[in-house]
Amino acid sequence: MTSPDITGPTGRLDPQAGTFLEGLWASLPIVLGYVPIAFAFGVAARGIGLTLAEAVALSLILYSGGAQFVALALIGSGAPFLVSAFTLIAMGLRHLLYGPTLMRRAGPGASRRHAWAWAWGLTDEVFGTALGALARGRRFSEPFMFGLGLGAYLAWASGTAMGAYAGSGALAAWPAVETGLGFMLPALFLALLLSVLSRAQLPVIGIAAVATIAVTLAWSGTAGLLAGMIAGAVAGVLNRRGDGGAP
Amino acid sequence: MRLEILSLAVIVGACNWAFRYFPTRANLHELPPGSPVTRFLAATGPAAIGTLFVASALPLVKDLSGPAPLTLGAGVGAVLLVYAISRSVVIATLAGAIAYGGAFWLFATSS
């Protein structure tokens, strides 16, 4: 499938550039991973007294899984508004690293005309999937990013709505399905890791993993995420054998 | 809809959008290859994905009693095997989840 606005350097259609539908297809593992997690969020939101509309509004407007679960804990415990806001904003700081990394990998000719729209969907999973696609030779395109982001966004919103509507125990009769869906995100990240793996980046990944485990166990999951990413990236600066010149 | 919930969502959502969008505008292509910033950005992707994998798998390995080692081994093994054969992230992910859920079901029905 090709799209008229996907052109290569010569102005002709570029078969390596992803289309909107290819982006949607690439979002499938994210969709399958997001729905059960968003479902759990919807259930938990109703559990602390939020209405269906409030639960869905958090997913549509805030759109950050980890922060949303923390938001429930803060709202449920009656935390002051400013404390809640600053805590949740701090949780999103890791996203600052994603845009520059993705656009550098995309190359100097990559369009960002509509980045104001598709960047809204640049979650951890969408970033990882986009980066994996580029590492496998896919040329960056905004339609691909729209497809990828929209599939994930709709899955998150609809999963929240279903969970908030169904209430607790909806998957209790299907424990194997619930368990399998619970492994979707680790499976996705492992597959993405394999897709970007190179010998030069092994120390980076190893140090990121160790830092994540250590800080998560010693402090918190959010701090572990930030520590792992920064420690791995700093290891990449110190590792002169790394492929830092790659676009 | 309570105003406090809506306000919290809008403020944090706006910051999330800013964190995701504005860094994409940075012009980083004129950085010399091999410079510290270039190496930092090149390493951020693999580091982030490695971090996210560990963070998402950590709750699964915290309690390795019962069927956990079996299901985890089946899930991870399926992802590695299917990715090696297909080179497809989508298919490998689905295979991993099916193997994980299937191993759990096998354990549950046999015990």
Side-chain angles (χ1 to χ4, degrees), chain A residues 136 194-195 197, chain B residues 81-92:
Chain A
R136 291 191 302 279
L194 294 172
S195 74
L197 199 61
Chain B
L81 180 67
V82 174
Y83 185 81
I85 295 168
S86 68
R87 297 280 157 185
S88 164
V89 170
V90 175
I91 296 170

Side-chain angles (χ1 to χ4, degrees), chain A residues 74 78-90, chain B residues 4 7-8 11-12:
Chain A
L74 292 166
F81 182 85
L82 283 178
V83 171
S84 300
F86 280 119
T87 304
L88 299 174
I89 289 167
Chain B
E4 187 174 304
S7 307
L8 187 67
I11 290 170
V12 180

